[in-house]
Amino acid sequence: MKIELEELLAQALAKLAGAALNVEVDRRSIVVERARDAQHGDYASNIAMRLAKAAGLRPRELAGAIVAALPASPLLARAEVAGAGFINFHLASAAQFEALRRVLEMGERYGTSNAGRGRRVLVEFVSANPTGPLHVGHGRQAAYGATLSNLLRATGHAVQREYYINDAGRQVDILTASVWVRYLQAAGSTLPFPQNGYRADYVNAIAASLRALRGTTLEFPAAAVLAGLPADAPAGDKEAYIDALIAKMRALLGAAGYAAVLELALEAMLADIRADLAGFGVEFESWFSERALARSGAVERTLARLHELGQTYEQDGALWLRTTTHGDSEDRVLVRANGAQTYFAPDLSYHMDKRSRGFELMIDVWGADHHGYIDRMRAGLVALGQPGASFEVCLMQFVSLYRGEQKIPMGKRDGQFVTLRQLREEVGNDACRVFYLMRSHDQHLDFDLELAKSRSNDNPVYYLQYAHARVASVMKQLAARGLAYDAAEALASLARLDGPHEAAIITALRAYPDTIALAAVNRTPHTLVHQLRELAQAFHTWYNAAQFIVDDSATRNARLALAQGVQQVLRNGLALLGAGAPDSM
RNA sequence: GCGCCCGUAGCUCAGCUGGACAGAGCACCGGCCUUCUAAGCCGGUGGUCGCAGGUUCGAGUCCUGCCGGGCGCGCCA
């Protein structure tokens, strides 16, 4: 609709070009927007104000000339000059109802487009270390990544969702050692628990399954384990201690024994994470293992490629990447003086792998604390010959949990945090998904458990679902009264929908596809929540003001058509948000 | 010190990529269930959009500088 109106404006301006107007007009500068206020009609353009100065005319004068030059169109009831020089468009009523017709015709496809033209996009999100259960912060990233993926799909992108498993780093070794110490302690060992270990309950659970699997075969006396180890904190260094403990564990159990514990711990954690996400309705097409990447030699190949390209240098025994030449604030280490790679090396290699799999665009969803890593990654990719624009990061600000006024503290290592699973069980999946998404991702989120549970306007998910259920209920009542919906009569009687409430709803229905498109392009799912809220509000207002099941069949069917249009769009929107659309509540 | 995010009604936040009088929910006050779900609706109270400059016909929105809050700046992950 916008485009049609812009075309009309372009024609009017072309007509004026010779006479009244002596400036060149770029077609792209002709923009029509939805009017914010119903009094301003349905659409508005500021083109006259933009061109007035260059044309040497007063904005209202120019606007008047443009309106006069507008070609006749069946879309338009009238166009008028308003305010400082706006051109307001009032749609013809047939064009008004076109939106409703389209909703009913397209059904669940209403709101989709092929704007993305099949562009291949990889959305990587959550990617939490498999060293513990997901917490509420991961939940936000999960909800965001899932809905962003849905939005991109709805706008014609070929999306793949991926979870990167950091299963090669030191954190996994720390988890492995933690499990082993718990396993020993469970058999009565006096071995102290490392200060830097993972001390939450799930570690005990894995230790118990280790015992069930291996019996006593992995047991060693505490004295044997502690022999030669440095002091742990607070007397000593907790980092040095845990590293020594891990080395000792390897020595005592042997490579195979150590690997067995590690595999068990990793699989247990991953199984938990997968189940949690699946339970949350968040699916991934691929789970990408860092270890597999490392074993394939890909990281070495990436390093070699950087060397070939002359992007690296050695200094103080370490291998550095010249990221400063590509916009980073300082150069970065790829391989430390002790020969170990930093995380930067496999991360770069991983993103090159994404590119090699044919993804034009890589969208990473990261926690806000990683923002300092963005320039580094992009610079590294550019150094490898990739376009900087192929890599994009959506930063998620933090989540604070409240129970009413009370802030819930969130420690990590000590296990004193609320898990995503606990949150879902307490609040429910639908409320979680929408609560997570109702705020802009670059806004810090206060998640109040009491609010999220309350069945009121506090939580928009109920408001949206309630509107959906009300329509279902009306249709049930219709059947109960022995009546049937007549689609043909409805479509022939849309002119009966002539009140302000109906107009407000139709405006909201028409806005929906624009909202989807904008939310996808700007990576802002929260705007969808707000738009659906406006639609639901318009519907609730109408519901209270008018009766649907009336005697006059033309009016009845027209109203039922509009109600079902609302229901359809709510269902579509809730699906994108990952929430259900119940028929009764 | 440098970098990123935020600062809008008592509280939590929108503000459609500069436009027409600044919006919503909660809270507070007052109304609406013999009719399709009151998890709802209607009305009212409430704001120098952190402060100061600048750009523009027009600034909550863009630029600069302050002030305040969060986060990040390792050969950690």
Side-chain angles (χ1 to χ4, degrees):
Chain A
M1 187 65 66
K2 277 183 187 176
I3 295 166
E4 284 95 327
L5 292 174
E6 285 167 8
E7 194 47 46
L8 292 179
L9 277 177
Q11 288 177 31
L13 287 164
K15 203 185 294 181
L16 294 174
L21 203 60
N22 55 3
V23 290
E24 196 127 326
V25 182
D26 181 353
R27 172 64 182 79
R28 282 167 307 176
S29 72
I30 304 174
V31 177
V32 170
E33 293 185 309
R34 289 197 314 275
R36 301 186 184 198
D37 187 327
Q39 290 182 350
H40 299 142
D42 299 297
Y43 291 91
S45 177
N46 60 2
I47 189 68
M49 289 180 287
R50 299 178 74 94
L51 296 177
K53 194 171 190 183
L57 292 168
R58 272 195 267 257
R60 286 190 63 102
E61 221 172 283
L62 178 56
I66 294 172
V67 167
L70 276 175
S73 164
L75 293 176
L76 229 45
R78 65 180 196 280
E80 60 196 14
V81 180
F86 290 97
I87 299 171
N88 291 340
F89 297 99
H90 297 259
L91 293 182
S93 65
Q96 289 278 12
F97 298 127
E98 188 53 32
L100 175 56
R101 278 210 180 79
R102 221 174 290 174
V103 173
L104 297 173
E105 194 181 295
M106 295 180 72
E108 64 183 19
R109 284 178 31 254
Y110 183 72
T112 63
S113 72
N114 61 358
R117 297 166 188 275
R119 191 176 184 208
R120 296 196 61 201
V121 181
L122 187 113
V123 181
E124 183 214 326
F125 59 111
V126 186
S127 298
N129 278 342
T131 52
L134 300 175
H135 56 68
V136 296
H138 297 128
R140 187 180 196 188
Q141 296 180 28
Y144 179 89
T147 293
L148 178 60
S149 300
N150 289 343
L151 286 166
L152 289 168
R153 275 199 185 133
T155 49
H157 298 81
V159 179
Q160 181 168 324
R161 297 163 295 189
E162 185 158 283
Y163 187 116
Y164 182 56
I165 309 168
N166 285 103
D167 52 6
R170 177 165 168 266
Q171 295 308 318
V172 177
D173 290 319
I174 294 176
L175 174 70
T176 304
S178 301
V179 167
W180 187 53
V181 173
R182 288 302 192 207
Y183 159 91
L184 296 174
Q185 287 178 338
S189 171
T190 56
L191 188 68
F193 195 77
Q195 289 301 315
N196 205 26
Y198 292 97
R199 57 178 67 246
D201 276 347
Y202 60 86
V203 176
N204 291 311
I206 302 171
S209 52
L210 181 63
R211 181 158 298 280
L213 216 62
R214 305 293 295 251
T216 59
T217 58
L218 302 175
E219 286 186 15
F220 287 87
V225 177
L226 288 170
L229 258 55
D232 198 359
D237 177 19
K238 63 178 183 177
E239 304 286 352
Y241 177 80
I242 194 106
D243 284 341
L245 178 65
I246 291 164
K248 177 61 73 68
M249 183 181 166
R250 279 206 169 97
L252 291 173
L253 302 189
Y258 181 87
V261 181
L262 185 145
E263 293 296 338
L264 180 78
L266 207 53
E267 275 173 32
M269 282 331 321
L270 273 175
D272 179 75
I273 289 170
R274 283 175 202 264
D276 201 7
L277 288 168
F280 197 31
V282 176
E283 304 289 340
F284 292 87
E285 279 74 33
S286 48
W287 296 71
F288 194 98
S289 161
E290 181 192 358
R291 272 197 302 172
L293 181 79
R295 282 180 189 152
S296 74
V299 183
E300 276 67 29
R301 284 196 295 279
T302 301
L303 292 173
R305 182 78 188 127
L306 285 166
H307 178 71
E308 276 169 35
L309 293 166
Q311 301 284 341
T312 61
Y313 62 92
E314 282 191 35
Q315 186 181 305
D316 304 329
L319 182 70
W320 295 71
L321 177 59
R322 249 182 259 283
T323 49
T324 45
T325 56
H326 306 291
D328 197 8
S329 55
E330 49 190 299
D331 288 343
R332 307 294 177 175
V333 172
L334 288 165
V335 182
R336 287 180 264 163
N338 67 7
Q341 293 166 357
T342 63
Y343 247 61
F344 188 33
D347 279 350
L348 267 182
S349 181
Y350 169 46
H351 284 79
M352 286 305 287
D353 186 87
K354 291 180 182 176
R355 291 286 289 166
S356 73
R357 282 183 275 154
F359 292 103
E360 288 176 65
L361 178 61
M362 307 176 280
I363 298 180
D364 287 17
V365 178
W366 291 354
D369 53 337
H370 287 71
H371 72 80
Y373 207 66
I374 299 174
D375 286 348
R376 179 186 319 195
M377 274 296 301
R378 181 172 292 115
L381 289 166
V382 172
L384 283 158
Q386 305 305 310
S390 66
F391 176 67
E392 189 183 312
V393 177
C394 298
L395 279 184
M396 305 297 297
Q397 293 297 322
F398 289 164
V399 177
S400 297
L401 262 192
Y402 287 82
R403 193 176 290 284
E405 298 288 302
Q406 187 85 31
K407 184 166 182 172
I408 301 173
M410 306 247 289
K412 274 190 180 177
R413 279 287 162 79
D414 56 4
Q416 292 300 308
F417 58 84
V418 177
T419 63
L420 173 59
R421 184 173 277 109
Q422 290 168 331
L423 183 70
R424 292 199 292 113
E425 280 165 4
E426 179 164 349
V427 175
N429 277 345
D430 287 357
C432 272
R433 290 290 287 259
V434 176
F435 221 89
Y436 271 135
L437 292 171
M438 62 194 276
R439 303 296 178 222
S440 165
H441 65 276
D442 55 16
Q443 185 77 237
H444 184 99
L445 177 68
D446 288 331
F447 197 124
D448 184 340
L449 292 165
E450 298 304 322
L451 227 54
K453 279 193 294 183
S454 75
R455 306 179 144 202
S456 74
N457 243 338
D458 288 331
N459 191 326
V461 71
Y462 294 119
Y463 191 77
L464 305 181
Q465 292 181 331
Y466 188 47
H468 182 273
R470 272 182 151 177
V471 178
S473 178
V474 168
M475 298 311 286
K476 261 180 253 167
Q477 269 296 319
L478 186 74
R481 296 184 195 184
L483 295 167
Y485 168 64
D486 183 338
E489 184 173 29
L491 290 176
S493 314
L494 295 181
R496 305 291 180 106
L497 303 171
D498 56 357
H501 295 128
E502 289 88 339
I505 292 170
I506 289 169
T507 298
L509 293 179
R510 197 170 45 232
Y512 179 76
D514 296 338
T515 301
I516 300 296
L518 272 172
V521 168
N522 295 333
R523 328 287 190 226
T524 50
H526 73 281
T527 56
L528 174 57
V529 179
H530 288 278
Q531 207 269 324
L532 290 177
R533 209 192 166 287
E534 276 174 38
L535 173 63
Q537 175 161 40
F539 174 76
H540 283 308
T541 297
W542 183 45
Y543 182 95
N544 276 272
Q547 195 71 14
F548 297 73
I549 304 174
V550 293
D551 291 339
D552 179 69
S553 69
T555 303
R556 182 176 68 236
N557 282 306
R559 288 179 179 173
L560 291 172
L562 183 58
Q564 289 176 105
V566 170
Q567 187 184 36
Q568 181 70 59
V569 170
L570 286 173
R571 196 182 305 141
N572 294 0
L574 284 165
L576 290 172
L577 296 173
D583 281 343
S584 68
M585 292 175 67

